[in-house]
Amino acid sequence: MIRIALLLWAALLLAMPATAQVGVAPPSGFIVAATQGQTSVTGTTAETNLASLRIPAGSMGRNGHVEVKSLWSYTNSANNKTLGGRLSATGGNISGTSLGVALATTTATAQIMWVIRNNNATNSQTLWGAQPVTPFGSSANALLAPAIDTTQDTFINLTGTLALSTETLTLVHAYAVVFPAN
Amino acid sequence: MRRALIAAVMVVSAPALAQLVTFPGVGGGSGGVVVSTTGPVNLTGTTAETNLASLRIPANSMGKNGVIELKCLWSYTNSANVKTHNYRWNNTPGGGVSITSSGPTTTATAQAFLIIRNTNATNVQVTYNTPLNPFGTSGGTPTTNLDTTQDTWLNITGQLALSTETLTLQRATATVFPAP
């Protein structure tokens, strides 16, 4: 059993996406994937992957959830800085279903949160539809409904988009915690 | 006799530190530590900053990129006077650098949430510093430099502007999510 756990742990390390350094804690009742060092986007107005947090295949169960919390800094200006997240079957890119975005302008930092819940099925998720800068409260927005197969490795692609390419958007730190439930 | 009486009054008015309960290895694995107070702690009778709880974060439990999530529930006198909640971090129980604080007035309860992140080093942390609005764009991000390869303590203090009022730390819980 211990050997299997160690092998899985080694496999997790080997399979990390190349676009961002990500650490995964050893096997336990929950799983933490965290960025290792900050990443930035500047010089482009294209949506850019800043980190991919891998949710190991089958770790959520049919009713588990993932909490993703990230800390950002950026140029304080009137121009939009878009802090985004996508749920995808692949990492290191800007693919996947949007988890909703936060639009930042005349502030300097942001802390945001998504809660991704499997909805009594391993391939059906539900999320609150408000901006992730206000993860608690009430909203007129409809719930989001990604449909990613979590029996396979799943990636949370954190992305940044600048309205003005000379500005800078930095993902300071991000982590995902899996709370499994069947 | 008079000195003894004053000493007795001081002992009665000084709040006892919160009792703690710790759950190492949440989930049966190597990751995760939860430390929690086990009952309310009241502050009254003084305007001095007073330590209400010290939550021990075990040495090396965070890793270079792990985090501590600290959640606190407070109640207090609803008045125009400031009731200060201060969140300090130190190598010993009590005192230490203030990570952030908040000072509610004309409300009765507050729930606070702080995320203290090691940022690719065991001795460099960054925290989004608006615990009563833990998500959003209005916060600052102060850095601290505690060595988390050693035991550290989150020291949660209270301070009254008017000593006859009361500030109560109902519950404080710290959860460590480790990451290498």
Side-chain angles (χ1 to χ4, degrees), chain A residues 6-170:
Chain A
L6 288 172
L7 280 172
L8 285 173
W9 169 229
L12 287 175
L13 286 175
L14 289 172
M16 282 179 186
T19 52
Q21 294 297 310
V22 174
V24 180
S28 67
F30 51 75
I31 291 161
V32 179
T35 55
Q36 294 177 321
Q38 61 187 31
T39 49
S40 299
V41 57
T42 190
T44 177
T45 56
E47 183 178 5
T48 302
N49 183 286
L50 297 175
S52 294
L53 303 175
R54 190 161 66 90
I55 308 303
S59 61
M60 291 181 70
R62 289 194 309 156
N63 289 288
H65 75 275
V66 182
E67 293 183 0
V68 186
K69 303 179 184 88
S70 55
L71 181 64
W72 306 70
S73 64
Y74 41 82
T75 307
N76 184 335
S77 76
N79 305 303
N80 276 346
K81 278 73 64 175
T82 304
L83 291 50
R86 295 179 178 275
L87 190 63
S88 177
T90 60
N93 52 46
I94 57 170
S95 71
T97 306
S98 175
L99 304 172
V101 300
L103 289 177
T105 53
T106 56
T107 52
T109 63
Q111 185 159 260
I112 67 176
M113 175 181 182
W114 289 284
V115 181
I116 305 162
R117 298 171 169 91
N118 267 356
N119 198 13
N120 209 28
T122 53
N123 61 351
S124 173
Q125 293 84 36
T126 185
L127 282 93
W128 200 45
Q131 280 203 24
V133 288
T134 54
F136 301 99
S138 59
S139 169
N141 292 355
L143 298 176
L144 305 178
I148 304 296
D149 178 9
T150 60
T151 66
Q152 306 299 314
D153 277 358
T154 303
F155 296 84
I156 296 155
N157 289 318
L158 298 172
T159 70
T161 309
L162 297 168
L164 180 63
S165 66
T166 53
E167 296 187 335
T168 301
L169 172 58
T170 299

Side-chain angles (χ1 to χ4, degrees), chain A residues 9 23-30 32 34-37 69-71 74 104 107 109-113 132-133 135-136 172-175 177 179, chain B residues 26-33 65-67 69 113 115 117-120 126-128 134-141 175-180:
Chain A
W9 169 229
V24 180
S28 67
F30 51 75
V32 179
T35 55
Q36 294 177 321
K69 303 179 184 88
S70 55
L71 181 64
Y74 41 82
T107 52
T109 63
Q111 185 159 260
I112 67 176
M113 175 181 182
V133 288
F136 301 99
V172 177
H173 184 270
Y175 67 102
V177 181
F179 296 89
Chain B
V26 170
S30 59
V33 175
N65 287 285
V67 306
E69 293 188 354
F113 183 27
I115 303 174
R117 303 163 186 263
N118 266 354
T119 51
N120 216 23
V126 65
T127 305
Y128 190 75
F135 299 97
T137 59
S138 61
T141 53
T175 308
V176 178
F177 294 102

Side-chain angles (χ1 to χ4, degrees), chain B residues 36-63:
Chain B
S36 178
T37 58
T38 56
V41 185
N42 290 314
L43 172 62
T44 192
T46 177
T47 57
E49 182 180 2
T50 304
N51 194 35
L52 301 176
S54 293
L55 305 179
R56 186 174 69 90
I57 307 302
N60 292 310
S61 60
M62 293 179 70

Side-chain angles (χ1 to χ4, degrees), chain B residues 16-24 33-41 51-58 70-72 92-94 151-156 169-175:
Chain B
L17 270 182
Q19 295 296 308
L20 303 179
V21 60
T22 302
F23 299 96
V33 175
V34 176
V35 57
S36 178
T37 58
T38 56
V41 185
N51 194 35
L52 301 176
S54 293
L55 305 179
R56 186 174 69 90
I57 307 302
L70 174 64
K71 302 179 184 86
C72 295
T92 59
D151 280 357
T152 57
W153 278 265
L154 289 170
N155 295 313
I156 302 161
L169 177 61
Q170 293 286 349
R171 178 64 63 87
T173 304
T175 308

